Amino acid sequence: MEICFPLEFIVEGAPVSLQTKRAASKRDWQDRVRAAIRFALPSDYFASDDRIAVTLYYFPDSAMDGDIDNIVKPILDALSQQVYLDDGQVERVVVQKFEPDGIFRFAAPSSTLEKALTQTKPLLYVKLSDDPFEELA
Amino acid sequence: MREPEHSRRLIIDQLAPRLEAEGYSVVYEPPRQLLPPFMGSYVPDAIALGQDKKIAIEVIVEGQSSEAKERDLRRLFRDARDWELNVYFVRPGEAAELSPVSLHAIEDAIESLESLAQAGALAAALIMGWGIFEALARYLAPDKYRKPQTPARLVESLANSGYVTPSEADFLREAGRLRNSLAHGDLERGVKEGDVRRLIAVLRELRTLAVDGVH
């Protein structure tokens, strides 16, 4: 079965930086990402060979300490060979943090994003799309 | 205690935008050639140069011999025509900066924590355990955790940097909330022995990182 994009899911917890101090932390975090994907996908699917766009919204429960770009690679690595075959298929990455006390307006959030907005933080909202040009039009 | 130089800089940083909006050019620690002869050896912390008026800015940090210094400066500027003296007094905040404690002290504290847990003093153990947790964080990253940390911020930071695993971070967030409740007087909140044991296990992991020199 082919993956039906866009694919959205939530990973609970704080993302681990690329410059992690403990290998176990990265493994634990990537296991979480993979578990969240499996929950969002049908049991009999094929990893996509399409071009991919990735949206990562991180909602920390207090001000984030590291740089937001440092969370990207471990997540993309966890998605590789799960959702897509190879990292090279990823043509677009949007990553943003939404720290407490900020006021953010989401015009028409999907049900998954709405759940992310209301659920206990910290968490990461992930959206995968097969249209890297979706917001260029 | 915040260092006097740092306090001075903060004050001038706050004053500068207002003065600049009024048309002044602000010069921090001005070179001697910008100062008039009447100032002698005195160098203000900053000066603000306007078209009609020039201001010498002096920040006096509490704890210095402030009264005598202010009196001398007022006398110096008494006959100055184009120059005005603005003195600002600062009481440095009590946001203490903390130095890392030795690994030996941390190990002793973990042993005391074990004793507390064994004696069934679980609430005291949790509070102490959180103190050791912050001490270990400061040992591992002294520059990052110079100031006291809130539990939520400490966990977020250590989780982002991978010092604690996401699973440990989940537990620590709960433990941090429990610690806050106890620290703020909610004494009827029960602490489970398992929570204290798990906290000790996390502390031992962090201690291993500290011993291994992971920074």
Side-chain angles (χ1 to χ4, degrees):
Chain A
M1 185 185 290
E2 293 205 345
I3 295 174
C4 184
F5 290 104
L7 178 69
E8 293 173 281
F9 56 93
I10 292 168
V11 192
E12 292 175 358
V16 175
S17 163
L18 177 64
Q19 289 108 14
T20 181
K21 306 292 182 183
R22 265 169 86 185
S25 298
K26 191 167 113 181
R27 277 199 303 275
D28 188 341
W29 171 245
Q30 289 181 319
D31 285 347
R32 278 186 187 211
V33 174
R34 284 188 277 264
I37 300 166
R38 280 194 283 277
F39 191 69
L41 284 170
S43 54
D44 52 345
Y45 73 95
F46 298 114
S48 171
D49 58 2
D50 274 341
R51 303 187 285 200
I52 298 289
V54 181
T55 301
L56 306 170
Y57 290 161
Y58 177 42
F59 298 89
D61 66 345
S62 68
M64 189 186 174
D65 186 62
D67 298 335
I68 189 69
D69 57 312
N70 287 337
I71 73 169
V72 176
K73 187 79 170 98
I75 296 165
L76 294 190
D77 286 348
L79 296 171
S80 184
Q81 298 183 352
Q82 302 287 323
V83 177
Y84 43 82
L85 297 169
D86 185 84
D87 279 359
Q89 289 165 244
V90 177
E91 296 197 2
R92 178 172 188 264
V93 179
V94 175
V95 58
Q96 188 165 1
K97 62 179 176 180
F98 298 90
E99 295 184 326
D101 300 327
I103 298 170
F104 316 109
R105 184 172 167 270
F106 291 90
S110 66
S111 60
T112 307
L113 180 54
E114 201 169 278
K115 194 173 162 210
L117 293 169
T118 53
Q119 201 172 306
T120 305
K121 314 293 186 292
L123 61 84
L124 177 79
Y125 162 85
V126 183
K127 186 176 101 174
L128 298 162
S129 149
D130 57 356
D131 179 9
F133 310 112
E134 59 193 348
E135 285 175 25
L136 297 183
Chain B
M1 187 78 72
R2 205 181 276 153
E3 288 175 20
E5 280 313 314
H6 185 57
S7 298
R8 275 195 192 92
R9 183 89 196 182
L10 281 178
I11 291 292
I12 299 167
D13 282 346
Q14 287 172 30
L15 292 170
R18 185 168 57 78
L19 289 164
E20 282 164 357
E22 291 173 14
Y24 289 95
S25 300
V26 178
V27 183
Y28 289 64
E29 294 168 12
R32 182 83 55 193
Q33 55 269 31
L34 289 182
L35 303 177
F38 82 84
M39 285 193 195
S41 61
Y42 168 63
V43 179
D45 293 317
I47 53 173
L49 304 174
Q51 289 218 324
D52 305 321
K53 194 168 71 175
K54 301 179 183 69
I55 302 171
I57 298 166
E58 179 66 24
V59 180
I60 294 181
V61 181
E62 189 179 78
Q64 299 174 317
S65 51
S66 51
E67 269 184 49
K69 185 173 185 183
E70 193 206 359
R71 207 170 41 237
D72 290 346
L73 289 178
R74 298 266 176 230
R75 196 176 301 131
L76 188 64
F77 279 78
R78 193 171 47 205
D79 300 322
R81 287 194 322 180
D82 302 335
W83 283 85
E84 180 182 302
L85 174 69
N86 285 2
V87 179
Y88 296 87
F89 290 89
V90 189
R91 294 192 69 183
E94 293 300 319
E97 289 197 351
L98 297 165
S99 302
V101 295
S102 69
L103 205 49
H104 183 68
I106 290 172
E107 281 164 352
D108 279 354
I110 293 176
E111 269 184 40
S112 300
L113 171 60
E114 293 268 19
S115 303
L116 277 174
Q118 272 168 13
L122 299 176
L126 187 87
I127 298 280
M128 182 171 189
W130 202 270
I132 299 170
F133 177 53
E134 188 164 337
L136 273 162
R138 191 162 293 117
Y139 185 89
L140 289 163
D143 289 341
K144 207 181 225 182
Y145 306 119
R146 270 188 200 152
K147 297 270 172 68
Q149 303 288 310
T150 64
R153 173 143 178 75
L154 193 59
V155 175
E156 169 70 20
S157 173
L158 290 172
N160 286 152
S161 52
Y163 281 115
V164 297
T165 67
S167 309
E168 288 166 346
D170 286 346
F171 160 72
L172 288 166
R173 274 183 211 101
E174 281 301 319
R177 281 192 274 272
L178 186 52
R179 173 259 175 212
N180 279 356
S181 297
L182 289 168
H184 296 295
D186 187 5
L187 303 177
E188 291 180 332
R189 284 284 296 267
V191 178
K192 296 187 191 116
E193 189 182 347
D195 290 340
V196 175
R197 289 282 155 217
R198 181 128 195 233
L199 180 58
I200 292 171
V202 173
L203 298 178
R204 292 213 173 279
E205 284 288 344
L206 290 173
R207 183 195 148 278
T208 303
L209 293 180
V211 169
D212 292 347
V214 176
H215 291 292

